[in-house]
Amino acid sequence: MNRQRVYKLIVFASGNGSNFEAIVRHIRDENLPLKVTYLLTDNPEAYALERAERLGIPSEILDYKSFDNRDEYNRALLKFLKSLDFDLIVLAGYMRILPPFIVREFWRKIINIHPSLLPAFPGLHAIEKAYKYGVKVTGVTVHYVDEGVDTGPIIMQECVKIEDDDTLETLEEKIHKVEHEIYIKAIKKVLLEN
Ligand code: GRF
């Protein structure tokens, strides 16, 4: 019997986790040969943890505040990752910057989603920055993670128009809706379409 390979994903989230849940739901609804084997968070209060429990996905909390400094936290993170077997790390609202020694260890095995059309509006509060700038088109980017902030090679992008009657809230809703569809498409492109 020819059994199909199942690719293993680890999702990193620090807060809400709506992208994490959307990925899991797409995998299940579309019966994809993908499996989220862990939700990793640096924040014990993350709502993503409740989602993981509801979805039956194991979670790992590496409480950032319990470490003496950033380097110790990142060393513990590397140790945890090295103890696992996985194909892709999926950053979905992970609010820490991965250090070069983790990025290099898992080169081209880490992807991120960013709520703007990179290279415009990198960093925090991208939706608000685009809205306040007054651009008429913004969007969502999925990219490989390199050693910079939101600078890695782009895998996929999608536009979102900002209409005259959009508020920051309606724009956020539109962006998140696009995020919840594009991330799984990009994951499929990376893992299943080579
Ligand atoms: C998303 O807007 C994502 O683009 C950004 O952080 C947000 C996470 O949202 N990197 P959620 O936690 O998945 O709901």
Side-chain angles (χ1 to χ4, degrees), residues 131 162-168 170-171 174:
Y131 183 76
I162 304 182
E163 307 290 353
D164 290 343
D165 61 354
D166 265 322
T167 62
L168 179 57
T170 60
L171 177 60
K174 290 202 277 191

mmCIF file of all heavy atoms in Angstrom, residues 131 162-168 170-171 174:
data_model
loop_
_atom_site.group_PDB
_atom_site.id
_atom_site.type_symbol
_atom_site.label_atom_id
_atom_site.label_comp_id
_atom_site.label_asym_id
_atom_site.label_seq_id
_atom_site.Cartn_x
_atom_site.Cartn_y
_atom_site.Cartn_z
ATOM 1 N N TYR A 131 -3.388 52.150 7.093
ATOM 2 C CA TYR A 131 -4.637 52.918 7.147
ATOM 3 C C TYR A 131 -4.340 54.409 7.341
ATOM 4 O O TYR A 131 -4.858 55.260 6.614
ATOM 5 C CB TYR A 131 -5.508 52.376 8.289
ATOM 6 C CG TYR A 131 -6.843 53.049 8.382
ATOM 7 C CD1 TYR A 131 -7.863 52.736 7.479
ATOM 8 C CD2 TYR A 131 -7.101 54.012 9.361
ATOM 9 C CE1 TYR A 131 -9.100 53.359 7.552
ATOM 10 C CE2 TYR A 131 -8.323 54.644 9.440
ATOM 11 C CZ TYR A 131 -9.320 54.310 8.534
ATOM 12 O OH TYR A 131 -10.538 54.941 8.598
ATOM 13 N N ILE A 162 -8.559 49.520 0.247
ATOM 14 C CA ILE A 162 -9.089 50.346 1.327
ATOM 15 C C ILE A 162 -10.072 51.324 0.696
ATOM 16 O O ILE A 162 -9.687 52.184 -0.107
ATOM 17 C CB ILE A 162 -7.967 51.107 2.071
ATOM 18 C CG1 ILE A 162 -6.917 50.107 2.590
ATOM 19 C CG2 ILE A 162 -8.552 51.916 3.226
ATOM 20 C CD1 ILE A 162 -5.781 50.728 3.395
ATOM 21 N N GLU A 163 -11.354 51.127 1.015
ATOM 22 C CA GLU A 163 -12.402 51.982 0.448
ATOM 23 C C GLU A 163 -12.539 53.237 1.315
ATOM 24 O O GLU A 163 -12.126 53.263 2.473
ATOM 25 C CB GLU A 163 -13.746 51.230 0.430
ATOM 26 C CG GLU A 163 -13.713 49.860 -0.242
ATOM 27 C CD GLU A 163 -13.528 49.909 -1.760
ATOM 28 O OE1 GLU A 163 -13.555 51.024 -2.337
ATOM 29 O OE2 GLU A 163 -13.331 48.833 -2.359
ATOM 30 N N ASP A 164 -13.171 54.253 0.729
ATOM 31 C CA ASP A 164 -13.301 55.523 1.460
ATOM 32 C C ASP A 164 -14.055 55.358 2.779
ATOM 33 O O ASP A 164 -13.804 56.078 3.741
ATOM 34 C CB ASP A 164 -14.017 56.567 0.589
ATOM 35 C CG ASP A 164 -13.114 56.993 -0.568
ATOM 36 O OD1 ASP A 164 -11.888 56.734 -0.485
ATOM 37 O OD2 ASP A 164 -13.634 57.562 -1.543
ATOM 38 N N ASP A 165 -15.019 54.431 2.797
ATOM 39 C CA ASP A 165 -15.806 54.284 4.035
ATOM 40 C C ASP A 165 -15.232 53.231 4.985
ATOM 41 O O ASP A 165 -15.849 52.908 5.998
ATOM 42 C CB ASP A 165 -17.278 53.978 3.705
ATOM 43 C CG ASP A 165 -17.430 52.676 2.935
ATOM 44 O OD1 ASP A 165 -16.395 52.063 2.556
ATOM 45 O OD2 ASP A 165 -18.576 52.253 2.706
ATOM 46 N N ASP A 166 -14.054 52.703 4.695
ATOM 47 C CA ASP A 166 -13.437 51.754 5.632
ATOM 48 C C ASP A 166 -12.975 52.469 6.884
ATOM 49 O O ASP A 166 -12.430 53.566 6.819
ATOM 50 C CB ASP A 166 -12.215 51.058 4.980
ATOM 51 C CG ASP A 166 -12.573 49.734 4.364
ATOM 52 O OD1 ASP A 166 -13.391 48.997 4.951
ATOM 53 O OD2 ASP A 166 -12.034 49.419 3.278
ATOM 54 N N THR A 167 -13.194 51.820 8.023
ATOM 55 C CA THR A 167 -12.589 52.289 9.274
ATOM 56 C C THR A 167 -11.425 51.344 9.547
ATOM 57 O O THR A 167 -11.276 50.314 8.880
ATOM 58 C CB THR A 167 -13.591 52.188 10.441
ATOM 59 O OG1 THR A 167 -13.937 50.801 10.597
ATOM 60 C CG2 THR A 167 -14.848 52.999 10.176
ATOM 61 N N LEU A 168 -10.639 51.669 10.562
ATOM 62 C CA LEU A 168 -9.535 50.761 10.909
ATOM 63 C C LEU A 168 -10.098 49.379 11.243
ATOM 64 O O LEU A 168 -9.542 48.354 10.850
ATOM 65 C CB LEU A 168 -8.745 51.331 12.092
ATOM 66 C CG LEU A 168 -7.588 50.481 12.587
ATOM 67 C CD1 LEU A 168 -6.577 50.182 11.472
ATOM 68 C CD2 LEU A 168 -6.878 51.168 13.754
ATOM 69 N N THR A 170 -12.966 47.921 10.139
ATOM 70 C CA THR A 170 -13.434 47.154 8.964
ATOM 71 C C THR A 170 -12.235 46.682 8.144
ATOM 72 O O THR A 170 -12.245 45.583 7.583
ATOM 73 C CB THR A 170 -14.414 47.958 8.077
ATOM 74 O OG1 THR A 170 -13.750 49.138 7.596
ATOM 75 C CG2 THR A 170 -15.676 48.333 8.828
ATOM 76 N N LEU A 171 -11.183 47.509 8.107
ATOM 77 C CA LEU A 171 -9.986 47.094 7.365
ATOM 78 C C LEU A 171 -9.345 45.882 8.057
ATOM 79 O O LEU A 171 -8.946 44.919 7.392
ATOM 80 C CB LEU A 171 -8.987 48.251 7.273
ATOM 81 C CG LEU A 171 -7.670 47.911 6.581
ATOM 82 C CD1 LEU A 171 -7.908 47.452 5.133
ATOM 83 C CD2 LEU A 171 -6.706 49.091 6.606
ATOM 84 N N LYS A 174 -11.208 42.818 7.132
ATOM 85 C CA LYS A 174 -10.935 42.377 5.749
ATOM 86 C C LYS A 174 -9.575 41.688 5.661
ATOM 87 O O LYS A 174 -9.414 40.662 4.995
ATOM 88 C CB LYS A 174 -10.975 43.573 4.777
ATOM 89 C CG LYS A 174 -12.370 44.129 4.570
ATOM 90 C CD LYS A 174 -12.489 44.914 3.267
ATOM 91 C CE LYS A 174 -12.028 46.315 3.328
ATOM 92 N NZ LYS A 174 -12.363 47.138 2.173
#
